[in-house]
Amino acid sequence: PGGAAQGASAHSALRFVDSQHDFDAPAVGALLRTLQTASCEERAHWWLAVRGCRRRFRRDWHETPLSQVFTVPSEFAMIKRGALVSAMHRRLRARGLYVQDAFRVFDHDGNGVLSCSEFFSACRWLGLKMLPADVHEIVRQIDEDGDGLISPEDWLAWMKDVAEEDAAAAAEADSDPRASEAAPDLGAISVAQSQIEELGEVPAPRESDRSSRKKKGWFGFG
């Protein structure tokens, strides 16, 4: 088993060096294990620099599985992210909300983006136990343009594993009068707000800080 894992990691690494971008889930995991000592920014910068020297179709990496390699620090973080998305989705559906609806509910000031405080408040409303530092780390990972805010596109990309399923379920519910009548009134839902520091007000965490939180364990889903 150990040899097979090493072989898979080596194969994925060689494909990464070759500027390939079509990786399945196990290959993404193998890449994250191999590249875990390099930051997401360093991975993306190196891969793009090498690809720039090649004559091949330049597909936007955001639309490929490499988006996880360039936004998720480690395989542990990927597993943690999947667990959080799953927990959040279960709680949303228990409240009768779809992924698309949730963004509108969480956008307390209605400006079209979620601040760290709004996302933190949403997590508390759903019963997800997280520290402000956890929220800052999540927003850094999923914020595409680096403004410290979550756009609708960022939100759907982060929740993509369940967003398509929800979109299909919502479309089916729209065609069923009984389901439409039972749907919650989004305007009547109020999420109590808790203020935390926004990105830009707090320094980026040092690698030692990340390691410390990893040892303690992140994200209680109770």
Side-chain angles (χ1 to χ4, degrees), residues 114-118 136 148-149 195-202:
L114 301 183
S115 65
C116 290
S117 294
E118 286 173 325
H136 293 149
L149 301 167
Q195 296 299 313
I196 65 172
E197 289 184 294
E198 300 297 327
L199 289 181
E201 301 173 352
V202 294

Side-chain angles (χ1 to χ4, degrees), residues 32-50:
L32 288 173
R33 287 194 299 273
T34 302
L35 301 173
Q36 60 184 333
T37 58
S39 70
C40 294
E41 294 78 9
E42 289 171 332
R43 300 170 197 170
H45 178 78
W46 187 91
W47 188 86
L48 289 169
V50 172

Side-chain angles (χ1 to χ4, degrees), residues 166-180:
D166 262 22
E172 183 177 345
D174 287 342
S175 63
D176 184 346
R178 293 172 299 179
S180 298

